[in-house]
């Protein structure tokens, strides 16, 4: 046991003795205190760069200790935790496959091809709206918001800073665009997580998700277009396309991994098949066209793709690998374990009692919004916010007999898009750090992220009138 954890548990025991002797407190006050300490602990860990997976392991230990002191035996707590943790097994498999896919798309030249083609559509007089649409397109193909910001997003913010456009404005457009794909892409890990929690399937969710988001998407495009006319780009000089062409062998065959995903979507297959087959095809292309050996491809599959440090693209085109997705996978596993343990002991019963007063369909969605913001702020992760909120609200949705596809849309329109609006959440912090922009300045310009829940709430309210 680490000194920090031991000290935390000692404090919990001391507080239990002192406060328990002096005040008549409710029986579940110690777990509530442990939850408060856990929240503070997570925020401190995120602020100091400590792995969220490690922080969550400590949180499980703190909460389990508090519940044990409140009368629950360890075997019961472990059984509840196992039930919650293993419910995330399919999601974890998808996370690891996405890590493999990303590294192979980098190595094969598929991602560089996507960037090169995307930049060819860049129009200086419409730069801000392009800074929204290009990340939306790229994230739709890649299924990752952070990967999108780390590639095309970095290119766009560099051009914006050189071209005299306010960096916060462009950062808002880039982050909003990146989460268009993060929400709607069949390759998105968040889409897979929501599908697993709501007992739906990613391929069948794509159409309803896109149609539901269309009003927010169109209004965002109009707003970014207006900003484009107000803030035109002074220059659009960039030799990035030439650098890509000199580093990678460019051929139309590099679109095959993308085509595999698109072609397999209509079939009733687990999303693991399109991701796995696409990654396999990309590895073959990397061997045939980019000259990578089998040993190099195996190494990249685990540790990610890199270019030599003297290559100008080395800071833009890199990453992926199973190792990169290991931390999110462990985080989901532990978060589900915590959620299962708290759910098993009835920890959320008080919150659920409050939810009994929520009657209308639109008010249920508002409750989801509020809880998603709270859990997103506590857990500092898009995935943790979704898991915890679902654990609390799933009984409410079942009680009101709301269909699974509608529950799915509620979660896609809350925790998934609201997490990037919380500055200390990983979904917001990493993109702003990568682009070297303000932690909060982008928020007013991330139109899509707050228009989406607003439009969804309006549609639900109008439907119930």
């Amino acid at each position: 046991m680490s000194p920090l954890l031991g000290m935390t548990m000692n404090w919990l025991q001391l507080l239990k003795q002192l406060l328990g002797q002096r005040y008549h407190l409710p029986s579940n006050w110690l777990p509530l205190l442990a939850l408060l300490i856990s929240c503070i602990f997570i925020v401190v860990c995120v602020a100091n760069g400590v792995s969220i997976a490690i922080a969550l392991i400590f949180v499980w230990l703190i909460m389990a200790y508090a519940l044990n002191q409140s009368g629950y035996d360890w075997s019961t707590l472990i059984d509840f935790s196992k039930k919650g943790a293993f419910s995330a097994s399919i999601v974890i498999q998808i996370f690891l496959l996405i890590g493999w896919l990303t590294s192979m798309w980098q190595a094969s030249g598929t991602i560089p091809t996507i960037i090169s083609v995307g930049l060819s559509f860049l129009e200086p007089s419409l730069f801000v709206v392009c800074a929204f649409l290009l990340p939306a397109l790229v994230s739709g193909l890649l299924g990752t918001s952070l990967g999108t910001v780390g590639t095309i997003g970095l290119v766009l913010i560099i051009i914006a800073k050189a071209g005299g456009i306010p960096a916060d404005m462009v950062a808002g457009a880039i982050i909003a665009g990146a989460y268009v794909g993060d929400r709607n892409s069949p390759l998105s890990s968040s889409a897979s997580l929501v599908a697993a929690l709501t007992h739906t399937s990613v391929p069948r969710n794509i159409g309803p998700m896109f149609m539901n988001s269309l009003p927010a998407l169109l209004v965002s495009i109009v707003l970014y277009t207006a900003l484009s006319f107000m803030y035109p780009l002074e220059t659009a000089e960039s030799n990035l396309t030439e650098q890509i062409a000199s580093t990678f062998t460019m051929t139309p065959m590099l679109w095959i991994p993308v085509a595999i995903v698109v072609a397999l979507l209509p079939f009733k297959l687990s999303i693991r098949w399109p991701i796995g087959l696409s990654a396999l095809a990309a590895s073959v292309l990397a061997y045939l066209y980019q000259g990578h050996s089998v040993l190099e491809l195996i190494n990249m599959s685990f540790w990610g793709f890199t270019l030599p440090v003297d290559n100008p693209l080395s800071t833009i085109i890199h990453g992926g690998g199973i190792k990169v997705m290991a931390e999110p996978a462990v985080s989901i596993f532990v978060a589900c374990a915590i959620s299962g343990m708290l759910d098993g002991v009835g920890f959320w019963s008080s919150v659920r009692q409050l939810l009994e007063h929520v009657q209308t369909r639109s008010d249920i969605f508002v409750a989801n919004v509020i809880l998603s913001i709270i859990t997103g702020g506590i857990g500092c992760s898009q995935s943790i916010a979704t898991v915890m909120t679902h654990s609390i609200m799933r009984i409410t949705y079942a009680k009101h007999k709301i269909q699974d596809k509608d529950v799915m849309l509620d979660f896609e329109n809350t925790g998934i898009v609201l997490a990037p609006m919380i500055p200390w959440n990983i979904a917001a912090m990493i993109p702003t750090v990568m682009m070297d922009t303000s932690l909060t300045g982008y928020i007013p310009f991330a139109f899509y992220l707050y228009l989406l829940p607003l439009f969804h709430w309006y549609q639900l309210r109008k439907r119930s009138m």
Side-chain angles (χ1 to χ4, degrees):
M1 184 182 296
S2 74
L4 179 60
L5 180 61
M7 183 176 66
T8 301
M9 292 182 172
N10 288 336
W11 272 104
L12 281 172
Q13 183 66 30
L14 181 61
L15 285 168
K16 179 184 178 183
Q17 294 174 356
L18 292 177
L19 295 177
Q21 294 171 0
R22 188 170 180 178
Y23 301 104
H24 296 289
L25 297 172
S27 59
N28 65 339
W29 74 270
L30 186 61
L32 288 172
L33 177 62
L35 181 63
L36 176 61
I37 292 173
S38 298
C39 296
I40 297 171
F41 184 79
I42 289 175
V43 172
V44 171
C45 286
V46 171
N48 288 277
V50 178
S51 166
I52 189 70
I54 294 174
L56 285 171
I57 292 172
F58 276 87
V59 167
W60 183 90
L61 291 169
I62 293 169
M63 292 303 304
Y65 177 80
L67 290 169
N68 175 257
Q69 292 297 306
S70 299
Y72 294 94
D73 61 83
W74 284 103
S75 61
T76 300
L77 296 175
I78 291 172
D79 287 341
F80 287 145
S81 299
K82 283 182 180 178
K83 184 178 179 181
F86 286 108
S87 68
S89 59
I90 293 177
V91 178
I92 291 171
Q93 293 173 34
I94 294 171
F95 271 40
L96 298 179
L97 281 171
I98 289 173
W100 179 37
L101 176 84
T102 305
S103 62
M104 291 301 96
W105 277 27
Q106 301 266 20
S108 65
T110 297
I111 287 178
T113 299
I114 292 170
I115 294 173
S116 182
V117 172
L119 288 176
S120 68
F121 290 101
L122 190 62
E123 174 58 46
S125 62
L126 296 172
F127 181 81
V128 179
V129 71
C130 286
F132 172 69
L133 291 175
L134 286 180
L137 174 65
V138 173
S139 64
L141 293 172
L142 304 184
T144 166
S145 54
L146 301 184
T148 298
V149 174
T151 52
I152 192 70
L154 283 179
V155 175
L156 289 169
I157 200 69
I158 290 169
I159 295 174
K161 289 177 179 178
I165 299 181
D168 287 341
M169 179 188 299
V170 178
I174 292 169
I175 292 173
Y179 279 95
V180 171
D182 191 271
R183 177 190 181 275
N184 295 292
S185 173
L187 300 180
S188 169
S189 57
S190 65
S192 297
L193 175 62
V194 172
L197 291 174
T198 58
H199 308 291
T200 56
S201 68
V202 173
R204 292 184 178 182
N205 291 347
I206 298 300
M209 280 197 295
F210 179 76
M211 294 306 297
N212 176 261
S213 68
L214 199 54
L217 185 62
L218 293 175
V219 173
S220 296
I221 291 172
V222 171
L223 293 173
Y224 288 125
T225 301
L227 289 176
S228 297
F229 289 128
M230 296 169 62
Y231 298 91
L233 188 69
E234 295 176 5
T235 177
E237 295 180 3
S238 173
N239 62 345
L240 190 64
T241 302
E242 290 78 9
Q243 291 172 349
I244 289 174
S246 66
T247 302
F248 296 90
T249 299
M250 309 300 285
T251 168
M253 298 293 287
L254 300 182
W255 287 100
I256 289 177
V258 179
I260 288 174
V261 175
V262 174
L264 291 179
L265 274 182
F267 297 94
K268 297 178 180 180
L269 297 171
S270 166
I271 195 63
R272 290 171 289 181
W273 282 101
I275 294 174
L277 291 174
S278 178
L280 183 61
S283 64
V284 173
L285 292 172
Y287 176 82
L288 293 175
Y289 291 101
Q290 311 304 339
H292 295 296
S293 67
V294 173
L295 188 60
E296 286 176 331
L297 291 172
I298 292 173
N299 185 63
M300 292 173 189
S301 296
F302 282 94
W303 304 107
F305 176 76
T306 56
L307 287 168
V309 292
D310 58 345
N311 190 307
L313 300 175
S314 62
T315 59
I316 297 174
I317 300 175
H318 64 90
I322 293 173
K323 179 189 175 184
V324 171
M325 297 304 291
E327 182 179 339
V330 172
S331 298
I332 290 295
F333 183 84
V334 181
C336 287
I338 295 170
S339 180
M341 179 174 63
L342 295 179
D343 199 33
V345 301
F347 185 83
W348 303 118
S349 57
S350 299
V351 179
R352 289 185 181 131
Q353 287 176 2
L354 292 175
L355 291 174
E356 289 180 2
H357 301 288
V358 178
Q359 297 299 327
T360 67
R361 181 67 181 84
S362 59
D363 286 345
I364 292 173
F365 177 70
V366 170
N368 195 325
V369 169
I370 294 170
L371 283 172
S372 294
I373 293 172
I374 294 171
T375 55
I378 291 172
C380 301
S381 165
Q382 190 186 42
S383 301
I384 295 170
T386 303
V387 170
M388 293 183 70
T389 304
H390 180 267
S391 178
I392 298 169
M393 293 204 64
R394 60 184 178 82
I395 294 177
T396 301
Y397 280 106
K399 177 184 174 182
H400 289 267
K401 298 180 180 179
I402 299 173
Q403 295 183 10
D404 290 341
K405 64 181 182 65
D406 295 321
V407 178
M408 175 273 296
L409 287 174
D410 273 18
F411 280 92
E412 289 288 357
N413 294 332
T414 51
I416 301 303
V417 293
L418 292 175
M421 302 286 284
I422 303 171
W424 60 90
N425 192 290
I426 291 172
M429 182 181 293
I430 292 179
T432 53
V433 169
M434 281 195 294
M435 292 188 291
D436 192 23
T437 55
S438 167
L439 287 174
T440 57
Y442 72 95
I443 293 176
F445 303 103
F447 302 131
Y448 179 81
L449 299 182
Y450 51 82
L451 286 176
L452 190 56
L454 282 173
F455 275 112
H456 186 63
W457 170 80
Y458 177 75
Q459 290 170 357
L460 293 175
R461 185 173 175 81
K462 188 176 179 181
R463 194 184 306 166
S464 61
M465 286 181 176

